[in-house]
């Protein structure tokens, strides 16, 4: 909050500068100007190549739970919004599915969210906040908003603004991501994130690349950042027959999961064919055509195995 003389505390100035946001509102905050007039910013998803991006900011530069005195109105590309979900984070949640994703997962159920230039809804963080406010009664018991995709970390300033709005409303935030961005993006979003739902794809680096067409290092760097920021992490892992349902993959998953300092548990998800029609509608060949989902017994077996290793299985 501003001091009596209208200036901002030094910690707020530092945090605003460290956020890496280049829009005028945050610049004014960093300079000590506290106008309540919202600045409209339209975020263009940024494409990052396969090469590793070196960190350029330490987690300690942005305080956990910091909320800008003036939350900027950031415009994002939104594919769709699900008002009530019970499977995308704690309790009942609204899920904002953003448009745009660099990965090309062979089992993707929403290939229509890939393109950053596709026709979509252009909504602002204030628009999302207004929708959330209408449903506050449903979020009791730890519910709130989840930003999913697509890949939400392609629009970090939009995610951050939505999360700040959610915290101002007194509800929780969750980030459903496969891990993306640079250190400056993580510093923008993770301090305002209550839970990360991390889609892990595959453990073997070669298999990972074959399945998503992006190198694994970006995912690993993001996962480390989640731990550095102290954000609770739920690992999501899809059992794809003949690919990730092997002994080597699941054992590797357990070993890697045990190294994550903020791990809450693992969601072991069965492969499904929902979304195949979307591939066809886009004129795309479905890579796993003819693949049959695992029997329930196989999924239950690996869930039991994970539990026997002392890890919590999220259902």
């Amino acid at each position: 909050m501003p001091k009596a003389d209208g200036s901002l505390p030094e910690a707020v100035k530092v945090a605003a500068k460290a956020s890496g946001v280049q829009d005028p509102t945050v610049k004014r905050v960093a300079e000590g100007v506290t106008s309540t007039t919202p600045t409209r910013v339209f975020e263009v998803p940024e494409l990052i190549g396969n090469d590793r991006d070196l960190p350029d900011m330490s987690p300690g530069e942005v305080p956990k739970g910091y909320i800008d005195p003036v939350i900027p109105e950031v415009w994002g590309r939104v594919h769709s919004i699900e008002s009530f979900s019970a499977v995308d984070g704690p309790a009942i949640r609204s899920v904002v599915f953003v448009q745009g994703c660099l990965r090309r997962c062979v089992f993707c159920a929403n290939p229509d969210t890939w393109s950053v230039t596709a026709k979509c809804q252009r909504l602002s963080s204030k628009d999302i906040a207004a929708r959330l406010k209408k449903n506050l009664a449903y979020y009791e018991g730890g519910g709130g908003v989840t930003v999913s995709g697509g890949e939400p970390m392609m629009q970090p300033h939009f995610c951050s603004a939505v999360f700040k709005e959610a915290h101002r409303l007194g509800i929780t935030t969750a980030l459903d991501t496969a891990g993306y961005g640079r250190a400056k993006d993580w510093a923008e979003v993770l301090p305002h994130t209550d839970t990360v739902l991390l889609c892990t794809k595959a453990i073997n680096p070669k298999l990972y690349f074959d399945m998503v067409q992006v190198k694994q290092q970006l995912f690993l760097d993001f996962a480390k950042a989640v731990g550095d920021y102290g954000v609770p992490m739920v690992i999501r892992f899809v059992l794809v027959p003949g690919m990730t349902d092997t002994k080597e993959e699941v054992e590797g998953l357990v070993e890697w999961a045990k190294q994550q300092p903020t791990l809450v548990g693992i969601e072991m998800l069965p492969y499904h064919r929902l979304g195949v029609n979307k591939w066809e509608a886009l004129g795309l060949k479905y890579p796993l055509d003819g693949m049959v989902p695992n029997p329930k017994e196989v999924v239950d077996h690996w869930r039991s195995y994970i539990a026997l290793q002392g890890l919590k299985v999220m259902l």
Side-chain angles (χ1 to χ4, degrees):
M1 296 301 291
K3 298 178 182 178
D5 62 1
S7 64
L8 291 175
E10 189 61 29
V12 174
K13 295 180 182 180
V14 172
K17 290 179 180 178
S19 67
V21 182
Q22 299 301 314
D23 66 80
T25 297
V26 175
K27 187 173 186 293
R28 289 201 305 274
V29 171
E31 293 172 348
V33 181
T34 57
S35 168
T36 57
T37 302
T39 295
R40 294 191 168 206
V41 180
F42 185 71
E43 181 162 29
V44 178
E46 181 182 9
L47 295 178
I48 297 177
N50 282 331
D51 291 334
R52 179 178 180 179
D53 293 292
L54 297 177
D56 56 9
M57 185 175 295
S58 65
E61 292 182 48
V62 180
K64 175 70 175 176
Y66 166 75
I67 299 178
D68 289 336
V70 179
I71 300 177
E73 182 174 26
V74 182
W75 290 76
R77 288 175 166 84
V78 177
H79 176 271
S80 57
I81 298 176
E82 183 177 345
S83 297
F84 303 103
S85 170
V87 295
D88 294 286
I92 302 299
R93 316 189 68 77
S94 288
V95 184
V96 180
F97 296 93
V98 298
Q99 184 72 34
C101 185
L102 180 68
R103 290 178 173 85
R104 295 294 180 262
C105 300
V106 293
F107 57 87
C108 182
N110 297 298
D112 50 331
T113 66
W114 288 351
S115 173
V116 298
T117 59
K119 183 179 179 180
C120 61
Q121 301 179 67
R122 298 189 175 191
L123 299 175
S124 81
S125 51
K126 301 293 183 185
D127 295 328
I128 303 299
R131 296 188 183 209
L132 296 174
K133 190 173 182 179
K134 292 180 181 179
N135 297 325
L136 283 179
Y138 296 99
Y139 304 137
E140 293 183 0
V145 62
T146 297
V147 181
S148 184
E151 174 51 65
M153 285 303 300
M154 287 183 71
Q155 300 183 55
H157 304 315
F158 177 67
C159 284
S160 175
V162 169
F163 284 177
K164 291 173 186 177
E165 295 284 0
H167 283 162
R168 180 161 288 179
L169 291 171
I171 60 178
T172 64
T173 62
L175 182 69
D176 182 11
T177 177
Y180 190 81
R182 299 185 177 93
K184 64 180 182 179
D185 304 320
W186 308 332
E188 177 66 29
V189 178
L190 292 179
H192 312 289
T193 304
D194 297 316
T195 303
V196 168
L197 309 174
L198 188 59
C199 189
T200 305
K201 309 299 183 185
I203 296 300
N204 179 278
K206 183 180 184 305
L207 177 60
Y208 186 100
F209 183 84
D210 290 344
M211 291 180 67
V212 307
Q213 298 304 299
V214 173
K215 291 181 180 179
Q216 189 185 50
Q217 191 61 54
L218 188 58
F219 160 82
L220 295 174
D221 290 345
F222 177 83
K224 183 179 184 305
V226 173
D228 290 343
Y229 279 92
V231 183
M233 175 198 293
V234 174
I235 291 174
R236 286 182 155 178
F237 191 81
V238 179
L239 285 173
V240 182
M243 301 179 79
T244 61
D245 64 344
T246 65
K247 181 174 182 290
E248 292 75 16
E249 273 294 300
V250 179
E251 287 183 349
L253 173 68
V254 169
E255 181 180 352
W256 182 79
K258 288 181 176 180
Q259 298 171 18
Q260 306 314 304
T262 61
L263 179 70
V264 175
I266 298 176
E267 289 185 6
M268 183 66 74
L269 305 172
Y271 160 78
H272 61 73
R273 293 180 57 82
L274 300 177
V276 173
N277 61 317
K278 295 182 181 180
W279 287 74
E280 297 170 350
L282 292 169
L284 300 174
K285 178 178 174 55
Y286 184 60
L288 303 183
D289 188 38
M291 181 171 287
V292 178
N294 275 315
K296 182 177 182 298
E297 293 75 16
V298 173
V299 179
D300 289 344
H301 166 75
W302 287 122
R303 285 174 174 169
S304 297
Y305 172 80
I306 289 173
L308 289 172
Q309 306 308 306
L311 300 177
K312 182 177 181 179
V313 177
M314 312 289 290
L315 298 175

